């Protein structure tokens, strides 16, 4: 993409006034991605390490949650979590480097041995709790299975789906770990989330375990790229779990840094930035909605997941 086109995709003309409050963060992200310093590891070479040692050097490696292709797509929503995370670290006065998106499993492998890896949005589950320090919550999600409406699978019980359905899920994700723990008999894992919907359409899985907003994005992409093909009619099962999502920071990093980050996030939620960031990315800003009430309620700091299925209670 030429420089003018690229800049226009990051700062669309019709949103210039609305982007004012977020301009410093977007400029920082734009400059880091444009200059591509040596500290940034290319997504195409996931075998490279972000750091050579296991001792925290004071710089936090922020792993972007979206690829450059999605950020340049022209949609409003891309960049929401990336913008929030970068602004959070900048306002807290902490040093950062930007790491292009890589497979989720690879991010987790790096976090297992390197301190200061920043991964988001992340579910707090037992096997991760002690390895990471947590800042949040930054979002909340209901866990459902999605399947083709004509298949009838979404109308079956959670227990039946666990036992009999071929379930597509992201490799290394919290959903995979939870479903294995619950005894799922036929998990089909994929290394990248965008592969889950094609697996369903190719009849290689019966249902998919994926976030609703992410699924809607992939459906929109499919429609845009293949306008002559019919849009699949999907249905979702009843929610079996609700999880709050966090920014996870790996390894032995200073406790005072985590305190600074949490304090800054709480400030974002009380001074209007959290809601404004949503507005700038085309997301709901209804503070009376159940979602934003939960997000802006600081008493929810530290809440992880709540099971809904009768057999899990």
């Amino acid at each position: 993409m030429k420089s003018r086109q690229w800049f226009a995709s990051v700062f669309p003309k019709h949103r210039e006034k609305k982007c004012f409050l977020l301009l410093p963060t977007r400029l920082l992200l734009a400059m880091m991605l444009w200059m591509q310093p040596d500290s940034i590891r290319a997504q195409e070479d996931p075998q490279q390490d972000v750091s050579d040692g296991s001792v925290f050097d004071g710089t936090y490696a922020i792993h972007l949650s979206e690829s450059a292709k999605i950020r340049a797509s022209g949609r409003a929503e891309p960049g929401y979590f990336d913008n929030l995370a970068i602004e959070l670290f900048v306002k807290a006065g902490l040093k950062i480097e930007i790491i292009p998106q890589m497979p989720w499993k690879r991010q987790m492998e790096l976090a297992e041995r390197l301190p200061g890896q920043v991964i988001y949005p992340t579910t707090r589950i037992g096997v991760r709790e002690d390895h990471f320090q947590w800042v949040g919550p930054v979002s909340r999600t209901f866990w459902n299975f999605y399947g083709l409406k004509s298949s009838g699978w979404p109308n079956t019980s959670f227990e039946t789906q666990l036992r009999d359905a071929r379930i597509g899920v992201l490799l290394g994700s919290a959903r995979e770990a939870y479903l294995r723990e619950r005894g799922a008999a036929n998990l089909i894992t994929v290394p990248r989330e965008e592969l889950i919907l094609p697996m369903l359409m190719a009849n290689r899985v019966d249902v998919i375990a994926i976030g609703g907003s992410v699924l809607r994005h992939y459906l929109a992409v499919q429609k845009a790229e293949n306008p002559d093909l019919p849009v699949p009619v999907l249905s979702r099962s009843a929610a079996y779990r609700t999880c709050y999502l966090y920014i996870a920071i790996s390894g032995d990093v200073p406790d005072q840094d985590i305190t600074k980050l949490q304090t800054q996030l709480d400030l974002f939620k009380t001074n209007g930035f959290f809601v404004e960031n949503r507005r700038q990315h085309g997301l709901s800003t209804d503070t009376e909605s159940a979602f934003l009430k939960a997000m802006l309620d600081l008493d929810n700091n530290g809440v992880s997941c709540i099971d809904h299925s009768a057999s899990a209670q």
Side-chain angles (χ1 to χ4, degrees), residues 144-156 160-169 185-189 196-210 215 233-237:
N144 310 84
F145 288 135
Y146 293 85
L148 294 174
K149 188 173 183 179
S150 59
S151 73
W153 277 108
N155 297 325
T156 61
T160 298
Q161 292 168 331
L162 280 179
R163 185 185 67 237
D164 299 332
R166 296 170 299 169
I167 303 171
V169 65
N186 299 291
L187 283 185
I188 311 296
T189 59
I196 294 180
L197 180 59
M199 292 277 285
L200 179 66
M201 299 309 300
N203 195 34
R204 295 180 62 185
V205 297
D206 301 309
V207 295
I208 53 179
I210 190 173
L215 178 59
V233 180
L234 303 184
S235 182
R236 67 181 180 185
S237 61

Side-chain angles (χ1 to χ4, degrees), residues 133-190:
Q133 303 222 44
W134 303 89
V135 177
V138 295
S139 190
R140 186 183 69 168
T141 183
F142 293 99
W143 288 13
N144 310 84
F145 288 135
Y146 293 85
L148 294 174
K149 188 173 183 179
S150 59
S151 73
W153 277 108
N155 297 325
T156 61
S157 69
F158 177 63
E159 289 73 18
T160 298
Q161 292 168 331
L162 280 179
R163 185 185 67 237
D164 299 332
R166 296 170 299 169
I167 303 171
V169 65
L170 178 64
L171 179 67
S173 66
R175 284 178 171 84
E176 182 201 2
Y178 177 79
L179 293 171
R180 288 194 185 282
E181 180 183 318
R182 293 299 308 278
N186 299 291
L187 283 185
I188 311 296
T189 59
V190 296

Side-chain angles (χ1 to χ4, degrees), residues 94-109:
L94 303 177
K95 291 175 60 178
I96 61 173
E97 62 177 333
I98 305 297
I99 309 299
Q101 186 197 50
M102 61 178 66
W104 184 259
K105 179 100 174 149
R106 174 61 175 158
Q107 291 184 35
M108 286 300 179
E109 288 172 350

Side-chain angles (χ1 to χ4, degrees), residues 26 29 112 229 240-241 256 291:
R26 291 189 178 183
L29 177 57
E112 285 179 1
L229 295 180
Y240 58 88
R241 205 177 200 209
Q256 60 265 33
F291 173 80

Side-chain angles (χ1 to χ4, degrees), residues 15 22 76-77 80-81 138-139 272-286 289 291-292 295:
R15 301 169 62 129
L22 303 179
E77 184 177 346
Y80 167 71
F81 284 113
V138 295
S139 190
F273 177 84
F274 189 89
V275 174
E276 180 60 24
N277 188 48
R278 292 179 60 80
R279 186 193 311 279
Q280 298 298 335
H281 291 85
L283 300 173
S284 170
T285 58
D286 180 8
S289 68
F291 173 80
L292 272 178
M295 284 299 98

Side-chain angles (χ1 to χ4, degrees), residues 72-94:
S73 67
R75 291 191 312 116
E77 184 177 346
Y80 167 71
F81 284 113
D82 292 334
N83 197 76
L84 178 63
I86 292 171
E87 182 74 2
L88 182 64
F89 277 79
V90 169
K91 291 293 188 184
L94 303 177

